[in-house]
Amino acid sequence: MGDTRKRAVVAGASGFIGQRLVRELRDQGYQVACIGRSGPDARWDDDDAVLSLVDGADLMVNLAGKIVNCRYTDANRAEILRSRVGTTRKLHEAVAASERPPRLWLNASTATIYRYALDRPMTETTGEIGSGFSVDIARDWEREFFAGDLPQTRRVALRMAIVLGDGPATAILERLARAGLGGPQFDGRWFPHRRYRGIGAHPSGDRRAPSHRSRGRQRFSWIHIDDVIGAIAFIVAHPEIAGPVNLAAPHASDNRTLMATLRRAVGAPIGLPAFRWMLEPAMWLLRTEPELVLKSRWVQPELLLAAGYTFAWPDLAPAIDDVVPRRRRRQR
């Protein structure tokens, strides 16, 4: 007898979200195949192999894309865009060519698609799209994903907030707290640069680096890795859910509270306030961008809550208390 298990295809499974998802899907009884630069089951440059995996799959999840935990040099900017839009286009072509296309396609996106928000949370129905480099990446990514007519395939764009877990964003925040820079982080003026300028066919923004007087109260939307996996399983089980979906905990925090919570979790006795002129060289040394802690992301998971999803980690402090010790154990 042939294998009667459900089939799932995961693209970009090498990251910490992808690795966890593959384990969970296999535990749920799926036969899982992975697409990546080096496979293992199909490489991006092998169109026939990609099509053979996509055709007949029950579920496809695309998490492919260059990590954004880097400096936004011209080369990195171009690769961040190409690695998202190009891989999504290749999967789109495979779905369109399939005799038995996947019933559900989940594609990664980002909650950074919304504007800088201090006044109100951004939901799927009332959120306002922002401008600049990160927003253009997300907009082009979703435009490619939702392009054309794929009548047999339900499509959901996962607009993920910053994911707390054994990943790069948590590592950077933890390092800042341990280094004594675990106080509130203040935006302000800095030398002009063009790293955050728009990109793609229709670049947005005014080409200047943004600056806001948020006084450390910039909002911090986040989601625990457990709820990323839980929300994916929930979406699979609820065929009425389609389109963009915010993956963010219902209780957003702010920068001051985030850093105070991290200080307590790592046992840092002090946390110096960090102004933009301090953050810029520190983030240069860490080879990442100040946008991680300076952009005010305020995102509400309206659709998930309305559909009845219950978050395992709705509040920041318990989530941090779970993630930080878990990371320590893995590093030993």
Side-chain angles (χ1 to χ4, degrees), residues 80-95:
I80 289 169
L81 177 64
R82 186 212 63 78
S83 63
R84 284 160 174 74
V85 175
T87 55
T88 301
R89 180 180 301 123
K90 184 158 297 248
L91 292 175
H92 197 291
E93 291 168 352
V95 173

Side-chain angles (χ1 to χ4, degrees), residues 2 15 32 39 58 60 79 85 100 136-137 141 143 145 151 161 169 179-180 199 204 240 244 252 256 303 307 311:
V32 181
D58 297 282
M60 183 167 69
E79 181 58 16
V85 175
R100 295 171 298 150
D136 287 350
I137 294 290
W141 202 1
R143 183 182 294 119
F145 176 53
I199 195 171
S204 65
E240 73 277 11
R256 287 176 181 268
L303 292 184
F311 280 81

Side-chain angles (χ1 to χ4, degrees), residues 51-296:
L51 176 58
S52 70
L53 292 184
V54 171
D55 197 347
D58 297 282
L59 170 66
M60 183 167 69
V61 185
N62 180 24
L63 302 171
K66 175 180 169 56
I67 190 170
V68 295
N69 181 29
C70 63
R71 297 295 286 180
Y72 292 166
T73 62
D74 286 351
N76 283 341
R77 281 164 45 89
E79 181 58 16
I80 289 169
L81 177 64
R82 186 212 63 78
S83 63
R84 284 160 174 74
V85 175
T87 55
T88 301
R89 180 180 301 123
K90 184 158 297 248
L91 292 175
H92 197 291
E93 291 168 352
V95 173
S98 294
E99 293 184 7
R100 295 171 298 150
R103 291 194 294 269
L104 174 59
W105 177 9
L106 306 177
N107 210 74
S109 183
T110 172
T112 302
I113 196 170
Y114 298 113
R115 66 168 172 84
Y116 184 104
L118 286 171
D119 54 334
R120 64 177 179 85
M122 302 287 109
T123 72
E124 295 93 339
T125 55
T126 65
E128 299 173 40
I129 306 303
S131 63
F133 172 65
S134 297
V135 171
D136 287 350
I137 294 290
R139 183 162 38 206
D140 285 4
W141 202 1
E142 290 192 8
R143 183 182 294 119
E144 188 66 42
F145 176 53
F146 287 118
D149 188 25
L150 301 175
Q152 298 180 64
T153 301
R154 174 165 60 108
R155 286 177 279 181
V156 178
L158 306 173
R159 289 181 175 174
M160 281 184 269
I162 291 174
V163 180
L164 299 182
D166 197 22
T170 310
I172 289 292
L173 292 169
E174 191 177 333
R175 287 171 70 184
L176 286 172
R178 291 187 188 280
L181 293 175
Q185 282 128 10
F186 298 93
D187 204 347
R189 293 184 179 179
W190 184 246
F191 297 107
H193 66 78
R194 301 174 63 246
R195 299 194 309 275
Y196 299 163
R197 70 191 185 278
I199 195 171
H202 304 285
S204 65
D206 58 10
R207 303 176 69 86
R208 295 180 298 178
S211 175
H212 302 273
R213 295 291 181 181
S214 55
R215 304 183 185 279
R217 291 296 183 188
Q218 59 268 31
R219 304 293 293 191
F220 178 76
S221 280
W222 58 277
I223 185 169
H224 192 291
I225 180 63
D226 289 353
D227 279 313
V228 172
I229 303 303
I232 287 174
F234 184 85
I235 291 167
V236 170
H238 286 75
E240 73 277 11
I241 298 176
V245 174
N246 290 344
L247 264 58
H251 302 148
S253 184
D254 64 16
N255 179 261
R256 287 176 181 268
T257 305
L258 165 69
M259 299 313 296
T261 306
L262 279 168
R263 288 199 307 272
R264 179 180 52 76
V266 304
I270 61 171
L272 297 175
F275 296 88
R276 182 71 176 262
W277 60 268
M278 301 164 65
L279 276 172
E280 286 283 356
M283 293 302 210
W284 180 83
L285 288 171
L286 293 172
R287 306 312 299 160
T288 190
E289 289 289 344
E291 182 181 58
L292 173 69
V293 293
L294 293 180
K295 180 170 180 177
S296 189

Side-chain angles (χ1 to χ4, degrees), residues 234 248-250 300-311:
F234 184 85
Q300 188 72 9
E302 178 185 52
L303 292 184
L304 282 177
L305 292 174
Y309 179 71
T310 300
F311 280 81

Side-chain angles (χ1 to χ4, degrees), residues 10-24 26 34-40 44 61-69 84 108 160 163 165-169 225 228-229 232 327 330:
V10 179
S14 60
F16 88 106
I17 299 174
Q19 292 178 36
R20 170 73 181 274
L21 177 62
V22 168
R23 291 197 302 270
E24 295 285 341
R26 285 176 174 153
C34 298
I35 304 171
R37 284 173 297 180
S38 56
W44 287 115
V61 185
N62 180 24
L63 302 171
K66 175 180 169 56
I67 190 170
V68 295
N69 181 29
R84 284 160 174 74
M160 281 184 269
V163 180
D166 197 22
I225 180 63
V228 172
I229 303 303
I232 287 174
R327 283 177 48 79
R330 288 200 181 108

